[in-house]
Amino acid sequence: MTLALTGATRLFVIVGDPIAQVKAPGGLTREFAARGHDGIVVPVHVAPADLAAFLIVADRLRNLDGIIATVPHKFACFQHCTSATARSSFLRAANLLRRRADGGWHGDMLDGIGFVDAVRAQGFTLHGKRALLAGAGGAGSAIALALIEAGVTELAIHDDDAARRDGLIGRLAGLGKGCVVVGSADPSGFDFIANATPAGMKAGDASPFDIDRLSPRMFVGCVITSPVVPPLIERARAIGCATSTGSDMYQAIQAPMLAFLLHADRERSRHEAVREP
């Protein structure tokens, strides 16, 4: 890939804390070039305490067309949106923001779509299965919604933040699709296990599950992209489980991310409910 950066190049940023693990800058920048779009994605390391100040500056950068939010900024970035898709509004989280014509931001939340598509790419059918999910944060809430929409019969959600967990369970239960309950670290009896927490990014992290209770018939998925094979996935593969990784999720989410950021989804999004202040 040869980049010809000029003063006319459009800027997109991915903001997170930490940020070194993200895959989007190179991949999306290459895809922009392949589509003839003069744009570049730049990683920006912003602590939670500084996010509000960063977003105020972002509002004033006239060549900034999009913001990709990663951990832990997805809830806060949604609050900064002027409008959002129905999916993002339900979750109260956004991992993508694109500039509106009036200078504000329109948000969407695609983590769940990417995660479920990565699982399906491995040949696993979620419909009719029992699922256990660790994590009710930004990515976790999106994955929970996507699993319910994929037709799991039961979704158990495990999170140390009981208020966050129970709030998500209450909203999902209101959809009337499947059974949504409080989960635990014990994966026994489940068909599908998903880690949507950062556990496993750092050496020595405790697993969100009792991995000694995994069985070969289970499918195990994880959102972590670094290391490429997180400890949970390594252990699951060792006992014969089918798996999907954070890198698989990123590959699955890249196309819808591009469509959103480049407004290629405009006809579709016109028919979606939006959040307006």
Side-chain angles (χ1 to χ4, degrees), residues 31-115:
E31 290 300 320
F32 284 157
R35 286 162 170 75
H37 182 74
D38 185 8
I40 185 171
V41 179
V42 178
V44 181
H45 191 173
V46 179
D50 298 323
L51 182 66
F54 168 79
L55 291 172
I56 290 172
V57 173
D59 290 345
R60 289 161 171 76
L61 300 179
R62 305 323 301 169
N63 65 338
L64 178 64
D65 288 346
I67 300 171
I68 305 164
T70 187
V71 62
H73 298 320
K74 296 171 186 179
F75 292 114
C77 281
F78 169 75
Q79 294 300 324
H80 196 69
C81 290
T82 304
S83 62
T85 63
R87 172 177 49 240
S88 181
S89 296
F90 176 84
L91 295 167
R92 304 170 193 169
N95 73 326
L96 292 175
L97 288 73
R98 72 178 178 215
R99 184 79 73 176
R100 290 165 40 120
D102 62 5
W105 299 99
H106 181 65
D108 201 354
M109 185 61 178
L110 297 179
D111 282 347
I113 291 173
F115 187 87

Side-chain angles (χ1 to χ4, degrees), residues 27 57 87 127 150 172 202 213 215 231 275:
V57 173
R87 172 177 49 240
H127 185 82
L172 292 171
K202 296 182 293 186
R213 294 180 179 272
S215 70
R275 165 187 179 266

Side-chain angles (χ1 to χ4, degrees), residues 179-201:
C179 176
V180 190
V181 299
V182 175
S184 72
D186 185 357
S188 300
F190 289 94
D191 308 298
F192 180 79
I193 315 298
N195 174 38
T197 78
M201 287 179 63

Side-chain angles (χ1 to χ4, degrees), residues 124-214:
F124 186 78
T125 300
L126 287 160
H127 185 82
K129 301 298 195 302
R130 298 183 68 226
L132 172 63
L133 169 69
S141 61
I143 290 168
L145 176 61
L147 290 173
I148 288 294
E149 292 181 335
V152 298
T153 55
E154 179 183 338
L155 174 61
I157 300 175
H158 172 49
D159 194 291
D160 292 336
D161 186 331
R164 183 170 69 178
R165 176 201 65 202
D166 293 347
L168 176 60
I169 289 173
R171 294 201 306 280
L172 292 171
L175 296 175
K177 299 178 180 179
C179 176
V180 190
V181 299
V182 175
S184 72
D186 185 357
S188 300
F190 289 94
D191 308 298
F192 180 79
I193 315 298
N195 174 38
T197 78
M201 287 179 63
K202 296 182 293 186
D205 280 350
S207 173
F209 303 112
D210 183 349
I211 56 178
D212 290 332
R213 294 180 179 272
L214 293 176

